[in-house]
Amino acid sequence: VAGQCCNMILMLVVYIRTHRHYRPFELFSHIARPDREILRDLLKLGLPIAVAITLESGLFVAAALLIGRLGPLPAAAHLIAINFSALVFMVPLAMGSAITVRVGNAVGRGDLSGARYAGIIGMLIVVAGQCCNMILMLVFPEYIVGLYTDDIAVATLAVSLLFFAGIFQLPDGLQICATGALRGLKDTRVPMLYNLLAYWAIGLTLGYYLTFNQQLGPAGMWIGMIAGLTVGGSLMVARFLHITRRMLAHES
């Protein structure tokens, strides 16, 4: 991991130094000394984001490990469903970053209504796209699974899990975009707590209960993840709407 990070940093430095877009800024002409106040503000903003990402990704790792206890067949089927979900998730993930930029730019120029508009429109666009992904998984699960395996037993279970993966698309896309919108408002600490509540206290707990206590197998873990993401996404959206409404009220 450290080697990959060093390679990425090196590639970014070379790109910035050679691309004509960055030449007028002369970014490497003067290297300023570290500013403790700025670094403290960055850590205050960035550390909760890092913890939130760890909590979210940790949910999926924990879910995979728990499903692995059921045996190789459920584990293989789960990996197919979660891998395809992760593949199509790249679009809402990128949109979440774009929403962060658009909302942050609007706040920076004092356009609070524009910030609210950018966040809401971004979420609606992603929800529309996720509906397409959901339809794809619900209508063509056999074709999708066929891209991964020709084992009949694994394919049969994976097709059933793609139903849950399809439903999973809506809350998953909504939560990442709502989180991005809140980051544009520099609101990161409360969303971090929302992630802890939604993904671990609700999602993983419910998934474990349904998987092992109710004997639902890997489907139980998927139901738990859907529940956690739904709660998390709902809380994020509600907070974004509340904060922007309050900002607009103070402005007027």
Side-chain angles (χ1 to χ4, degrees):
V1 175
Q4 291 177 346
C5 291
C6 290
N7 290 335
M8 290 173 62
I9 293 173
L10 179 62
M11 291 169 61
L12 285 172
V13 170
V14 172
Y15 178 78
I16 292 173
R17 287 187 65 91
T18 57
H19 199 281
R20 65 179 183 274
H21 175 75
Y22 296 98
R23 289 173 187 167
F25 302 104
E26 298 181 351
L27 297 177
F28 296 96
S29 62
H30 174 70
I31 306 298
R33 295 180 60 183
D35 188 310
R36 292 184 179 181
E37 184 175 348
I38 293 177
L39 289 175
R40 184 173 61 251
D41 291 339
L42 289 175
L43 288 173
K44 183 179 178 180
L45 181 68
L47 281 178
I49 295 177
V51 174
I53 293 174
T54 302
L55 290 171
E56 181 182 358
S57 59
L59 167 66
F60 300 121
V61 172
L65 291 175
L66 289 173
I67 290 175
R69 293 174 55 186
L70 300 174
L73 178 60
H78 169 74
L79 287 177
I80 291 174
I82 199 68
N83 181 266
F84 190 78
S85 295
L87 175 65
V88 298
F89 179 70
M90 294 301 102
V91 175
L93 178 62
M95 281 294 297
S97 299
I99 292 171
T100 299
V101 174
R102 293 298 300 269
V103 172
N105 284 343
V107 172
R109 65 176 179 265
D111 184 8
L112 300 182
S113 61
R116 181 180 172 90
Y117 178 82
I120 293 175
I121 291 299
M123 293 180 210
L124 292 176
I125 291 173
V126 169
V127 167
Q130 291 298 85
C131 285
C132 296
N133 290 335
M134 179 180 68
I135 293 173
L136 177 67
M137 294 184 187
L138 296 180
V139 177
F140 303 107
E142 293 85 0
Y143 176 78
I144 294 171
V145 172
L147 298 175
Y148 289 88
T149 182
D150 55 2
D151 185 286
I152 296 178
V154 174
T156 301
L157 183 55
V159 166
S160 68
L161 292 182
L162 272 184
F163 170 80
F164 298 101
I167 305 300
F168 178 88
Q169 297 307 302
L170 292 179
D172 196 24
L174 186 60
Q175 63 85 20
I176 194 63
C177 290
T179 301
L182 288 172
R183 289 173 185 169
L185 301 176
K186 293 186 176 181
D187 181 38
T188 59
R189 284 186 292 178
V190 172
M192 175 189 69
L193 298 177
Y194 285 169
N195 280 8
L196 179 61
L197 169 66
Y199 301 152
W200 288 84
I202 296 176
L204 191 63
T205 302
L206 178 61
Y208 184 93
Y209 173 76
L210 294 176
T211 299
F212 296 102
N213 293 72
Q214 297 299 314
Q215 307 300 321
L216 292 185
M221 190 59 67
W222 275 91
I223 294 173
M225 292 192 296
I226 292 171
L229 289 170
T230 301
V231 172
S234 300
L235 290 173
M236 302 290 186
V237 172
R239 182 165 179 80
F240 176 77
L241 295 177
H242 171 72
I243 292 177
T244 53
R245 188 183 303 113
R246 186 177 59 189
M247 292 170 63
L248 289 171
H250 288 171
E251 182 184 43
S252 61

